[in-house]
Amino acid sequence: MDDIILIAVAALGGVGLLAAVILFFVAKKFKVYEDPLIDEVEEKLPAANCGGCGFPGCRAFAEATVKAAKETKSLEGHSCPVGGNDVMQDVGKVLGLEVEAMAPMIAVIRCNGTPINHPAKVKFEGVTSCAFAHGLHGGEGGCQYSCLGLGDCVDACDFDAIHMNPETGLPVVNDKCTACGACVIACPRDIIELRKKGPKDRRIFVSCVNAEKGAPAKKNCQTACIGCSKCEKVCKFDAITITSFLAYINFENCTLCRKCVEVCPTSAIWEVNFKPRKPKADRPASVVEKATATKATPEKPIPLTIKVDNAQEDFKKEDNKIENKE
Amino acid sequence: MNKFTISGSPHIKSDESTKKIMYGVALAMAPTMLVSIYFFGFQAIRVLVLACIASLFFEWVIQKYLIKGPVTIDDGSALVTAILLAFNLPSNLPSWMIIIGALIAIGMAKMSFGGLGRNIFNPALVARVFLLISFPVQMTSWPKPEGFSIGLSDATTGATPLGIVKEGLGAGKTMSQLKPEIPTYIQDLMGQMGGSMGEVSAIALILGGLYMLWKKIITWHIPVAMLGTVVIFTSILWGIDSEHFADPVFHLLTGGMLLGAIFMATDMVSSPMTHGGQIVFGVGIGILTVLIRVWGAYPEGVSFAILLMNAVVPLINKGFKPKRFGLKPAISKNS
Amino acid sequence: MGILKTFALGGVHPEENKLSANAAIEVLDLPKQAFIPLGQNLGAPSKPLVKRGEEVKTGQLLAEAGGFISTPVHSPVSGKVFKIENILNASGYKQMGIIINVEGDEWMDDIDRSDELSTNLDYSPEEIIEKVKQAGLVGMGGATFPTYVKLMPPPGNTAEYIIINGVECEPYLTSDHRLMLEKGREIVVGTQLLMKALKVDKAIIGIENNKPDAISHMSELVKNTEGVSVQALKVQYPQGGEKQLIKATVNREVPSGKLPIAVGCVVQNVGTAFAVYEAVQKNKPLFERVVTVTGKAVKKPSNFLVRIGTPVQQLIDAAEGLPDDTGKIINGGPMMGKAISSTEVPIVKGSSGILVMKEEESHRKTENACIRCSKCTYVCPMGLEPFLLSRVSRLGKFDIAEDEMIMDCIECGSCQYTCPANIPLLDYLRLGKNKTGAIIRGRGRTA
């Protein structure tokens, strides 16, 4: 009886020992050298593996930054949109390099084709995929640049930062947005753009990408940019350019003076997170107040100014402050 | 005027539907149902009704309160499962066991995988095997087919032909000695033998199979491959030693062979998707069935064989692709 | 007749509904304004040559080819160029086009307007190809591939057969059928010209068995024509697909990813053969075509000879108006046609029919769970597994889709037509094909 136990222990022990020896040599022989810096850099990264930096995952980004740091002594072109400046500063510290601060960005939806502004003329039936619908038809309301409202951007977002608003049929970005750019790629109509987040989240942008002439664009959508170039003329900072009947505001030059918003005849230019302005004589009420005061009425083109979820709260806070003062 | 609809082509749709297929299967099972009622009387009606009500009820409860999705008990799939389950039970099974069987079939084998179309195993068979293993006594005491004279009280029970042969051969008897004990081929065809409700009458089952072939609900590949394999395999054994192995016709007509081949193995959800794969599937079931019947511990092996082959269906689907157009290498110039 | 030929794999047989089969081709009145898109062919759009306000005659060149795979566009009407602007096309997208205000109907002088049959075959292949190219011919079956490109096989390939596609497997459509009955002789001459251009001595006209009058008529006409034969085919959708038609007529399989010329075949539609005849013998460019207007609720299902650029509305009016309960208008047949968003859309070179569907016919049925019945696999004419491809497309696994040969899908719609669970298989397949194609092209660029 004892023999059996002894034999079993010896046999299994021997097998174990043999395997350990083999493993030891295999591990030695096939060892791959990796720069320990890569691990250190990776630790600093958010581990979201979103691909927003252009590399397949955080590990690949870490490898690329370490390589770039060694070869070019600069991290130019390498930036983690999710982690933003803080993370890149950390990465810079690990690698012993100075990293230029970048302005935080956010995804912005440049379409205002709500059912009121851009009424549907036909009905789409089929799979809920913008990419498919884009290949099939020009859009329910006739504007071939409009948001299709089927949520490819929502599916693409890894951060729960973009949702469809069932009332407007348009996506809404909230403050979880890391500007990774996944939605920008997912949108078949190039409606989403990454723009500077702006001081206090304040932004001004043209909420339209319709490159048609004014008349056909306006025919389909009340708030389409008609390329009238009023905004271009009023802008003192050369921030606005018009190409193929479409205005574009360069966020690097824009000083958020809001002049363009006032002159836009179709309310295609949006301002978000600004304080409501005082009424003027020639303009009964500013666009913002209209939007906040009343629900959009069918006959008037009123954009939904509040796009960022937390903006609503900001407004409330500000309102409270005013009330408190009074 | 209406808004025009925009959708991708095709703009027309055939009149095929899941419902139509499911009720087609149910209709194909009608002859077998009638035969089982004829032979087993009120007991058969009790088992059928109870299985149907319990299955539909469990499907409804799970869809409504557990999954909280749309309730689709009217699509007929639960009904088909229920009838198949009833076919697999002896007519004198206690009612509470039938209800447990329905719960296992619907709850465990179907809904836990996500409902219709997602289950790996045939739900009715899972329930049958579950009951067989849990309640072996009740599940293997087969009432004699005595029609309405049985009533609802105790019926005389006996073994199935397969059971007789298995036991007899095990006890050292030869086939010719067993001959008087087992039913004749005519009796097999009509259904005058012991067995579960649905498996007794070969003619009724074949009738249902032909109906499904005609309605294109099933294709010939699985039944033919399965039965063909059984015939070939048992012929070889019988040819070697006709005294210790039963003949192929006996194997074909007794037990759940035809029920399995026509209604169980052809279940769309748990069978392979291509004709090539279906033939492999059928052959596999055939081989396994004979192995279990001849050398296994159980007299009947169809349900185990089908369940085992169900498990390898994903593999078969990976390995057997349809014949692709344009992948034939050479083009004969003189065609 | 024995067993009729057809293709080997898959196929469905939808209800034929050839409502307009007995309606003779009527010449439709000229439109008041013609809308002529510049991208009427597969490939690069054409470049306009006329200016705003210019007077044009019927048949005058409006735009030249914009690339190798491109065709010129000719004026279908005479009048004044009103605008060169974006106009709505069948998909609801705006596209460059020329709008002409119609004044009278003055044709170019070099077009022979007589109805006399001209059987002169005294042309060199180059002459024929040049004429076909200049006349702006494209495949009239709907794919609108420039015809002259097909007539110039790439080096290393020689054509053996020319197959004339008179299958018209799409339900409802009858324009090819009527054309064969009424212009059969011209089609035969066009076929002979195509044979000459391709230097082949065998031509097969494939016609499905649901058009017995066309089969007997065409058989009679080709009796004394050497090399041309008529092949009756079993009714099976999608027999009109190039690859399926080649399989059905000469039993050859076009290898995956290759063109029909790889097996020595060139397929041309009967409409194209007729247009070849007109281009070569009558010097008439392609500016009109036969269009079927049909639908269960349409009062007068008809076949019209229509000038390119005529708005769909005018065709529907000529068929006694749009029914009240119209839910969908399709440009093409019900299996592969495109739903159009507006009746302002003009007829183009590739429009074979306008199908008006009733409201109750125009909606998809509720999608159910896949029961893995594999009917989609059985009916797929390319031997693919639509259920699998649609699932991987839905999940975004385009590498698997590529391995499972998603790019071979011909988008015939048989799978979705037959699916008992009403799953929009083809929607997902298109999506997957689109994305997989983009991935493959991207790889080509980087490699």
Side-chain angles (χ1 to χ4, degrees):
Chain A
M1 203 50 194
D2 290 352
D3 289 355
I4 294 173
I5 294 170
L6 272 178
I7 290 167
V9 169
L12 284 175
V15 169
L17 203 68
L18 192 71
V21 171
I22 292 170
L23 273 177
F24 174 75
F25 283 107
V26 169
K28 274 234 138 161
K29 177 136 173 94
F30 292 103
K31 187 169 181 176
V32 179
Y33 174 75
E34 267 195 335
D35 197 326
L37 276 176
I38 294 174
D39 283 331
E40 274 180 58
V41 171
E42 199 188 355
E43 259 173 43
K44 302 286 179 202
L45 297 175
N49 289 320
C50 66
C53 51
F55 295 95
C58 291
R59 178 85 191 170
F61 178 70
E63 283 168 18
T65 45
V66 171
K67 199 176 162 208
K70 283 211 169 136
E71 284 170 7
T72 61
K73 298 281 172 205
S74 136
L75 288 184
E76 217 183 300
H78 295 80
S79 130
C80 173
V82 177
N85 272 325
D86 299 346
V87 164
M88 286 316 290
Q89 294 300 341
D90 284 353
V91 171
K93 256 180 231 161
V94 170
L95 298 171
L97 290 169
E98 284 287 310
V99 179
E100 246 179 80
M102 295 239 306
M105 310 277 270
I106 191 167
V108 164
I109 284 120
R110 297 181 294 166
C111 178
N112 196 18
T114 60
I116 293 160
N117 293 332
H118 179 228
K121 297 186 181 74
V122 292
K123 211 186 150 335
F124 168 74
E125 239 177 56
V127 299
T128 43
S129 153
C130 301
F132 172 72
H134 176 67
L136 185 73
H137 73 134
E140 290 188 328
C143 171
Q144 67 190 52
Y145 302 92
S146 68
C147 173
L148 290 155
L150 298 169
D152 277 13
C153 48
V154 179
D155 295 341
C157 186
D158 280 340
F159 302 96
D160 197 30
I162 191 163
H163 295 280
M164 296 307 291
N165 179 339
E167 261 175 52
T168 60
L170 296 169
V172 178
V173 181
N174 64 29
D175 61 342
K176 289 179 192 163
C177 178
T178 60
C180 70
C183 51
V184 178
I185 296 165
C187 181
R189 297 201 148 168
D190 295 332
I191 287 167
I192 308 178
E193 191 199 3
L194 295 182
R195 293 180 71 92
K196 224 192 236 173
K197 220 167 181 177
K200 290 190 196 164
D201 270 1
R202 287 175 178 171
R203 295 183 286 283
I204 292 178
F205 60 93
V206 180
S207 181
C208 182
V209 289
N210 190 320
E212 280 177 288
K213 278 185 189 162
K218 189 82 198 288
K219 197 178 145 202
N220 288 324
C221 178
Q222 299 182 63
T223 60
C225 171
I226 53 173
C228 66
S229 54
K230 275 187 184 163
C231 51
E232 190 185 19
K233 281 174 202 142
V234 85
C235 183
K236 290 175 191 152
F237 307 97
D238 287 340
I240 302 181
T241 46
I242 303 226
T243 37
S244 66
F245 315 103
L246 176 65
Y248 177 77
I249 301 177
N250 184 345
F251 51 82
E252 298 291 351
N253 294 356
C254 179
T255 58
L256 306 176
C257 72
R258 299 203 271 170
K259 285 237 165 66
C260 50
V261 183
E262 284 170 25
V263 297
C264 183
T266 57
S267 308
I269 304 181
W270 278 23
E271 48 178 38
V272 290
N273 297 339
F274 284 91
K275 278 185 205 167
R277 60 183 92 186
K278 282 171 192 155
K280 278 182 193 171
D282 57 332
R283 235 177 119 83
S286 81
V287 193
V288 181
E289 275 163 6
K290 259 193 264 171
T292 44
T294 51
K295 279 258 168 190
T297 45
E299 57 285 358
K300 293 220 167 158
I302 298 160
L304 283 150
T305 314
I306 303 151
K307 258 201 164 177
V308 181
D309 276 353
N310 66 333
Q312 223 149 6
E313 285 159 27
D314 286 355
F315 268 124
K316 274 181 207 154
K317 275 179 212 160
E318 300 211 357
D319 288 348
N320 289 342
K321 273 179 210 162
I322 296 162
E323 277 169 21
N324 290 346
K325 273 176 201 166
E326 283 169 7
Chain B
M1 204 164 65
N2 317 317
K3 279 179 200 161
F4 294 153
T5 305
I6 299 279
S7 58
S9 64
H11 303 285
I12 46 173
K13 171 77 189 62
S14 69
D15 57 356
E16 297 225 37
S17 70
T18 309
K19 248 186 211 178
K20 217 172 157 183
I21 291 175
M22 289 301 169
Y23 288 113
V25 176
L27 192 63
M29 291 189 291
T32 316
M33 249 186 284
L34 292 177
V35 168
S36 70
I37 291 169
Y38 173 77
F39 281 124
F40 300 110
F42 294 116
Q43 290 283 27
I45 298 175
R46 176 186 64 98
V47 175
L48 274 166
V49 169
L50 209 57
C52 289
I53 291 174
S55 297
L56 289 169
F57 172 74
F58 287 130
E59 175 132 325
W60 176 76
V61 166
I62 292 170
Q63 282 182 339
K64 183 140 186 155
Y65 296 104
L66 270 175
I67 298 180
K68 297 197 174 81
V71 177
T72 56
I73 53 167
D74 61 337
D75 67 9
S77 62
L79 188 74
V80 168
T81 301
I83 299 174
L84 278 179
L85 174 65
F87 280 2
N88 273 300
L89 301 175
S91 57
N92 61 347
L93 198 72
S95 298
W96 61 274
M97 284 187 197
I98 300 170
I99 293 168
I100 287 182
L103 179 62
I104 295 296
I106 299 293
M108 197 176 97
K110 187 174 165 195
M111 285 303 166
S112 65
F113 287 95
L116 180 62
R118 310 238 167 103
N119 48 302
I120 301 169
F121 300 104
N122 186 323
L125 279 182
V126 171
R128 176 196 164 124
V129 168
F130 179 89
L131 292 174
L132 182 65
I133 294 169
S134 311
F135 315 108
V137 178
Q138 288 88 337
M139 280 297 286
T140 48
S141 61
W142 311 100
K144 292 228 165 88
E146 286 162 352
F148 284 92
S149 61
I150 304 174
L152 284 170
S153 57
D154 289 312
T156 45
T157 58
T160 61
L162 280 169
I164 298 169
V165 169
K166 186 107 196 172
E167 236 168 70
L169 291 175
K173 293 186 190 165
T174 60
M175 278 310 284
S176 42
Q177 282 172 308
L178 289 168
K179 196 93 191 170
E181 290 179 46
I182 57 175
T184 62
Y185 295 152
I186 301 296
Q187 283 173 321
D188 290 341
L189 279 172
M190 299 308 294
Q192 281 163 302
M193 57 178 174
S196 74
M197 281 172 46
E199 67 188 28
V200 289
S201 169
I203 286 183
L205 288 167
I206 290 169
L207 218 60
L210 290 177
Y211 174 78
M212 289 202 291
L213 276 174
W214 175 53
K215 283 281 173 193
K216 294 195 177 148
I217 296 170
I218 60 170
T219 57
W220 56 267
H221 302 79
I222 294 176
V224 169
M226 174 174 159
L227 299 175
T229 310
V230 169
V231 168
I232 293 169
F233 198 174
T234 50
S235 303
I236 294 171
L237 295 176
W238 187 58
I240 293 169
D241 186 350
S242 64
E243 280 303 310
H244 289 99
F245 296 105
D247 60 288
V249 183
F250 173 81
H251 273 291
L252 269 194
L253 295 181
T254 56
M257 184 61 79
L258 284 171
L259 178 66
I262 292 167
F263 288 108
M264 302 291 210
T266 55
D267 171 36
M268 288 170 170
V269 178
S270 53
S271 63
M273 311 275 297
T274 60
H275 293 318
Q278 285 166 352
I279 287 175
V280 172
F281 179 73
V283 169
I285 295 174
I287 292 175
L288 285 173
T289 304
V290 178
L291 287 179
I292 297 171
R293 274 189 179 185
V294 175
W295 289 289
Y298 284 96
E300 174 59 302
V302 175
S303 12
F304 291 104
I306 293 175
L307 286 178
L308 283 170
M309 289 308 287
N310 280 166
V312 295
V313 163
L315 262 182
I316 295 177
N317 279 339
K318 269 216 156 86
F320 289 83
K321 293 291 171 189
K323 197 202 129 352
R324 312 283 201 202
F325 185 97
L327 271 198
K328 204 163 58 180
I331 303 121
S332 55
K333 275 280 166 192
N334 48 6
S335 60
Chain C
M1 216 182 281
I3 295 167
L4 285 164
K5 281 190 178 177
T6 188
F7 52 97
L9 288 174
V12 290
H13 186 182
E15 222 180 305
E16 287 161 26
N17 283 322
K18 303 270 190 189
L19 307 170
S20 51
N22 294 319
I25 299 171
E26 292 171 51
V27 179
L28 194 74
D29 293 340
L30 291 180
K32 288 201 176 62
Q33 235 178 14
F35 301 84
I36 306 126
L38 289 174
Q40 293 195 38
N41 53 273
L42 203 82
S46 323
K47 283 187 214 146
L49 293 173
V50 290
K51 280 190 216 68
R52 196 175 170 163
E54 210 173 307
E55 296 272 350
V56 291
K57 288 180 180 175
T58 307
Q60 189 180 326
L61 189 66
L62 286 182
E64 60 181 357
F68 173 65
I69 300 187
S70 183
T71 52
V73 175
H74 299 80
S75 178
V77 290
S78 67
K80 221 177 223 165
V81 177
F82 173 56
K83 258 182 193 171
I84 300 179
E85 211 183 54
N86 279 330
I87 53 178
L88 208 62
N89 71 7
S91 341
Y93 280 97
K94 287 188 179 153
Q95 182 186 28
M96 237 346 142
I98 299 171
I99 306 174
I100 297 173
N101 282 335
V102 180
E103 290 160 15
D105 191 21
E106 196 187 329
W107 289 41
M108 292 294 279
D109 301 329
D110 53 355
I111 302 172
D112 176 4
R113 295 185 68 174
S114 68
D115 262 348
E116 221 172 286
L117 182 75
S118 154
T119 51
N120 176 19
L121 292 178
D122 205 10
Y123 297 98
S124 72
E126 290 73 26
E127 274 176 322
I128 298 171
I129 292 172
E130 190 55 31
K131 281 201 163 185
V132 164
K133 189 174 175 180
Q134 292 312 329
L137 257 60
V138 297
M140 308 270 281
T144 65
F145 192 77
T147 304
Y148 78 94
V149 181
K150 272 192 184 177
L151 297 180
M152 298 194 295
N157 288 312
T158 45
E160 243 181 288
Y161 286 99
I162 171 125
I163 297 165
I164 302 296
N165 186 349
V167 171
E168 202 156 55
C169 57
E170 278 268 12
Y172 289 98
L173 300 189
T174 56
S175 54
D176 290 352
H177 182 189
R178 291 311 307 180
L179 198 66
M180 284 189 283
L181 287 179
E182 294 177 31
K183 304 281 180 195
R185 290 178 311 166
E186 287 86 345
I187 291 170
V188 175
V189 177
T191 308
Q192 287 172 307
L193 289 168
L194 284 169
M195 287 162 72
K196 222 163 163 188
L198 277 165
K199 305 183 195 82
V200 300
D201 52 6
K202 280 174 278 188
I204 300 171
I205 303 176
I207 306 172
E208 272 188 358
N209 203 29
N210 56 357
K211 297 178 265 293
D213 47 350
I215 295 172
S216 57
H217 181 66
M218 294 306 285
S219 307
E220 194 62 36
L221 289 176
V222 300
K223 232 178 211 169
N224 302 317
T225 322
E226 207 184 322
V228 185
S229 61
V230 171
Q231 176 71 57
L233 300 163
K234 192 183 157 207
V235 184
Q236 187 90 318
Y237 179 87
Q239 196 141 237
E242 275 191 337
K243 293 180 175 183
Q244 276 64 40
L245 186 60
I246 292 169
K247 177 77 184 166
T249 49
V250 296
N251 195 23
R252 294 183 184 178
E253 268 186 31
V254 181
S256 169
K258 294 274 167 57
L259 292 172
I261 193 72
V263 291
C265 293
V266 172
V267 180
Q268 296 287 4
N269 187 271
V270 285
T272 316
F274 178 64
V276 167
Y277 165 81
E278 288 204 312
V280 177
Q281 307 286 17
K282 304 281 187 186
N283 216 6
K284 184 179 155 195
L286 179 61
F287 59 74
E288 56 183 2
R289 66 160 298 142
V290 181
V291 179
T292 305
V293 180
T294 182
K296 280 183 185 156
V298 171
K299 287 200 197 81
K300 198 187 114 201
S302 344
N303 300 293
F304 295 118
L305 185 66
V306 186
R307 300 283 172 90
I308 303 295
T310 309
V312 167
Q313 184 64 48
Q314 199 185 334
L315 275 80
I316 295 174
D317 287 342
E320 296 185 357
L322 196 65
D324 288 338
D325 65 338
T326 303
K328 193 190 259 182
I329 301 178
I330 299 160
N331 177 22
M335 292 299 281
M336 288 187 81
K338 268 196 148 168
I340 57 177
S341 51
S342 147
T343 50
E344 292 161 27
V345 169
I347 292 295
V348 292
K349 289 174 182 175
S351 316
S352 48
I354 298 297
L355 172 58
V356 179
M357 298 195 77
K358 288 193 270 189
E359 175 69 17
E360 76 240 35
E361 298 172 309
S362 46
H363 295 290
R364 298 257 177 96
K365 291 177 191 162
T366 330
E367 186 183 344
N368 298 324
C370 171
I371 52 166
R372 293 194 254 172
C373 66
S374 49
K375 282 184 198 280
C376 53
T377 313
Y378 301 160
V379 299
C380 179
M382 299 306 289
L384 307 176
E385 291 163 288
F387 74 96
L388 180 70
L389 294 173
S390 78
R391 193 163 294 173
V392 294
S393 299
R394 195 185 293 205
L395 297 173
K397 296 185 174 166
F398 301 116
D399 47 337
I400 302 178
E402 193 190 346
D403 290 345
E404 299 289 347
M405 304 169 72
I406 195 168
M407 296 312 284
D408 275 14
C409 169
I410 56 168
E411 302 184 20
C412 68
S414 299
C415 48
Q416 192 172 330
Y417 169 80
T418 206
C419 179
N422 308 321
I423 298 170
L425 291 162
L426 188 54
D427 286 9
Y428 286 114
L429 274 164
R430 283 217 180 92
L431 177 68
K433 243 184 109 169
N434 199 330
K435 298 236 165 152
T436 313
I439 291 170
I440 293 172
R441 282 193 299 278
R443 205 181 294 146
R445 267 202 296 279
T446 50

